[in-house]
Amino acid sequence: MGNSIYRFLCGVCSDLSDAAFTPHGAHDSVAALGRDILNFQRTKQVPDGLSRHVVSSQNAQANWYKKLQVAWKKARPTPTTPEDAAQLVVLTLKNHQKADVEGFLAFYGLPHPNGAAASAPAHAPPPAPAAHPTAPTHKPVKAELHTLPVDAKAVADGDTVTVYVDVSERGESGSVPADIKKAAAERTKARAARNYPTADALQKTIADAGYRQVPNAKGQEVLARKYRIRLSGIDAPESAMPYGKEAKEALLKLVEGKCLTVHVYDTDRYGRSVGDLHAGGVFVQEQMLKKGFAWHYAAYDKRPELAKWQSQAQAARKGLWASKKPQEPWEYRKAKRNGTA
């Protein structure tokens, strides 16, 4: 009887509209969780990158999303704040391993279970959260990018990541050259016909123009534009420096498998888009500074919050601050240019 009721509830959940999973005014991290539950309902696939944060198998992860479908359906009101969503996750997965619950929350940037707030009363209207409450204001935003899931190979170091944006996104489709659209269509046909030499040649043509055919969150291959993002306001150790590898791994853990929001402020002399990175509601630069895997790059970004987060890591001797006298990356690069590194 119990299993029958559970299957019935899962069936009811399948009738939920898209809007029910991403309610109006929901925080980015809550919206990301809602989209993944909706995507699981449709595809039975768990998000890429989740396995890096939890200890259980993908079969076990699938079971979590089945349970969360039911819980999301029954929630009144539907969660919109990180605290409410965290409470729902903790209660739904309360009989699962602590490491899994904590890793699941971290993946979405939701509060730690020990700090999760109680759900608001049903009669109380939810607060209107800011899109990125921890991100301090900066220069005027020139562009906002919404990326496809980030691949593990996309992180070059602790402050640079390559992302792809679906050309069907607003503001992208009109700028795609006609010959690239044609090459993408021909490559799709060539792959379907298993004509891989032709498909590979067309992929090179597409890549040389700054585009690529990559899978979206649903696993469907789409044409996407490539952007190299230089994180504004921080400077991570170079790869050959102490903590260079650790900085890269820290950034990878924050972004791998996630769809990011990028606020672009400028373009640097290397053609990279300089901006702020948000992953599931988490301000990436804040985490890199607080964990001690980056310096505040005050010469280019004077936001006092960045200086504060660096000071917190210094005081706690986290990451590179465990060294007695860590070298600034910009001084390392200068010495390398002068042949004195």
Side-chain angles (χ1 to χ4, degrees):
M1 176 65 75
N3 289 337
S4 298
I5 293 173
Y6 183 80
R7 286 194 297 271
F8 169 75
L9 287 171
C10 286
V12 171
C13 280
S14 65
D15 293 330
L16 281 176
S17 67
D18 291 10
F21 287 96
T22 54
H24 177 70
H27 186 276
D28 281 5
S29 57
V30 182
L33 174 59
R35 284 194 299 269
D36 284 346
I37 295 174
L38 176 62
N39 185 60
F40 177 82
Q41 177 179 283
R42 293 171 172 170
T43 67
K44 305 305 178 187
Q45 298 294 314
V46 299
D48 294 333
L50 179 59
S51 293
R52 288 179 59 88
H53 295 260
V54 299
V55 297
S56 292
S57 67
Q58 287 197 336
N59 286 338
Q61 295 167 30
N63 187 44
W64 305 342
Y65 283 91
K66 289 177 184 177
K67 293 182 177 180
L68 286 167
Q69 284 182 48
V70 178
W72 200 276
K73 166 66 177 178
K74 294 168 65 176
R76 293 292 184 275
T78 303
T80 56
T81 68
E83 292 77 16
D84 287 348
Q87 184 77 354
L88 182 143
V89 170
V90 171
L91 291 175
T92 303
L93 305 182
K94 62 183 179 181
N95 294 325
H96 294 271
Q97 296 184 60
K98 180 181 179 182
D100 282 330
V101 177
E102 292 181 351
F104 189 93
L105 292 170
F107 180 68
Y108 287 103
L110 297 172
H112 187 279
N114 291 338
S119 298
H123 62 273
H132 304 291
T134 59
T137 56
H138 193 30
K139 302 175 183 177
V141 176
K142 293 184 177 180
E144 181 173 298
L145 308 177
H146 299 277
T147 79
L148 294 166
V150 175
D151 184 80
K153 297 179 181 179
V155 176
D157 50 40
D159 53 40
T160 306
V161 59
T162 298
V163 301
Y164 288 89
V165 177
D166 189 337
V167 298
S168 65
E169 285 277 339
R170 186 180 62 181
E172 292 288 341
S173 59
S175 63
V176 183
D179 60 329
I180 298 303
K181 290 182 179 180
K182 181 180 178 182
E186 290 178 351
R187 179 176 178 271
T188 299
K189 292 178 181 178
R191 284 174 58 83
R194 298 187 178 181
N195 185 353
Y196 298 119
T198 297
D200 290 345
L202 289 166
Q203 175 72 326
K204 186 177 186 305
T205 298
I206 295 168
D208 287 347
Y211 295 86
R212 187 178 174 187
Q213 286 182 293
V214 296
N216 62 14
K218 297 179 181 178
Q220 302 165 337
E221 197 167 72
V222 297
L223 180 62
R225 182 178 176 184
K226 176 182 176 181
Y227 290 88
R228 291 182 66 217
I229 309 297
R230 175 63 168 84
L231 276 66
S232 180
I234 68 170
D235 199 2
E238 298 292 326
S239 299
M241 295 179 67
Y243 292 95
K245 181 179 178 181
E246 290 83 351
K248 177 181 177 179
E249 286 295 321
L251 180 57
L252 178 62
K253 190 172 182 180
L254 286 166
V255 304
E256 184 185 4
K258 297 180 182 178
C259 296
L260 309 178
T261 298
V262 186
H263 291 163
V264 179
Y265 301 119
D266 290 302
T267 301
D268 69 11
R269 58 179 173 168
Y270 304 107
R272 299 175 299 186
S273 298
V274 180
D276 288 342
L277 227 59
H278 302 273
V282 173
F283 182 30
V284 173
Q285 284 101 306
E286 176 183 357
Q287 294 304 310
M288 292 296 290
L289 288 167
K290 284 184 173 180
K291 294 175 186 293
F293 290 121
W295 294 71
H296 173 208
Y297 211 175
Y300 294 94
D301 190 330
K302 302 187 183 301
R303 285 179 281 185
E305 293 87 351
L306 305 186
K308 181 186 73 174
W309 295 328
Q310 174 177 299
S311 296
Q312 290 173 352
Q314 283 179 288
R317 300 185 64 81
K318 290 186 176 180
L320 64 89
W321 302 111
S323 301
K324 290 184 178 179
K325 194 176 181 181
Q327 184 181 21
E328 297 93 336
W330 53 89
E331 292 296 338
Y332 172 87
R333 292 191 293 269
K334 180 180 178 180
K336 192 173 182 181
R337 286 194 299 268
N338 296 334
T340 58

